[in-house]
Amino acid sequence: MTTLIWIAAALVVIGVYLSWTAGRLDRLHARIDAARAALDAQLLRRASVAQEVGTSGVLDPAASLVLYQAAHEARQAEEDQREVAESQLSQALRVIFGEEAQVEAVREAEGGAQTIAELTAAVRRVPMARRFHNDSVRAARAVRRHRVVRYLRLAGHAAFPLAFEMDDEPPAILDDRSAGA
């Protein structure tokens, strides 16, 4: 009789552990989905502000065309090309706003100070959103690497989480972290 009680207790403990692990994995996947939605929103915001600056007419025609095209491609990119398109937008922003003259040209236009503030906020939030997403992916991958999770398929049919890798370095002029600290 004692043996049956110990076996039943062991099965209950194993069941609780497996249930807790599956729940944790589900919460991690939900966190990844929320982080991806936040990242998508920040990328869209950055592309929208960049596109607005590109069509404003305050930049020289070549810079306007490059910025508009990069922002448009970032907004319209298919999922498998999104990281490349977003990286190209980051590079275009760094090239165009690598000079103080371009920033001053936008700032001097009507509503330019607000536009620069929006662009600065957008380019600063993208790396934070991407970092949060990639941290969530890293945590889910760590749980999914456990043998028990793999053998018992506790992840179900959820796709293996992938990090979002892109060049998200903001232009030095717009990166006011040192000024705000």
Side-chain angles (χ1 to χ4, degrees), residues 42 45-46 48-50 52-53 111-125 174:
Q42 293 305 323
R45 182 170 183 245
R46 180 181 76 151
S48 296
V49 173
E52 180 183 321
V53 171
Q114 181 181 357
T115 301
I116 289 294
E118 287 177 21
L119 187 60
T120 300
V123 299
R124 286 195 57 210
R125 287 181 179 155
L174 298 179

Side-chain angles (χ1 to χ4, degrees), residues 15-140:
V16 167
Y17 172 75
L18 292 176
S19 175
W20 176 80
T21 302
R24 178 171 178 230
L25 196 53
D26 185 53
R27 287 187 303 276
L28 285 171
H29 282 154
R31 192 169 93 183
I32 289 170
D33 290 342
R36 181 58 189 244
L39 175 60
D40 286 342
Q42 293 305 323
L43 291 171
L44 181 63
R45 182 170 183 245
R46 180 181 76 151
S48 296
V49 173
Q51 207 167 19
E52 180 183 321
V53 171
T55 59
S56 67
V58 297
L59 299 176
D60 63 79
S64 292
L65 183 62
V66 168
L67 187 59
Y68 175 81
Q69 187 65 30
H72 180 72
E73 287 177 11
R75 291 182 71 177
Q76 301 298 319
E78 297 292 327
E79 192 60 36
D80 60 337
Q81 293 296 315
R82 183 106 187 258
E83 294 170 345
V84 173
E86 294 293 347
S87 293
Q88 289 172 344
L89 177 56
S90 294
Q91 293 165 0
L93 285 166
R94 277 196 311 273
V95 167
I96 292 167
F97 292 107
E99 303 171 11
E100 183 71 32
Q102 296 287 26
V103 175
E104 287 306 315
V106 174
R107 191 172 280 134
E108 290 171 2
E110 183 177 334
Q114 181 181 357
T115 301
I116 289 294
E118 287 177 21
L119 187 60
T120 300
V123 299
R124 286 195 57 210
R125 287 181 179 155
V126 167
M128 289 185 289
R130 188 177 75 86
R131 195 173 311 118
F132 185 72
H133 174 267
N134 288 349
D135 287 346
S136 299
V137 167
R138 197 172 305 111

Side-chain angles (χ1 to χ4, degrees), residues 148-167:
V148 172
V149 172
R150 286 192 324 247
Y151 294 157
L152 297 179
R153 297 189 48 86
L154 295 181
H157 297 288
F160 193 74
L162 298 174
F164 193 87
E165 296 301 331
M166 64 172 273
D167 174 4

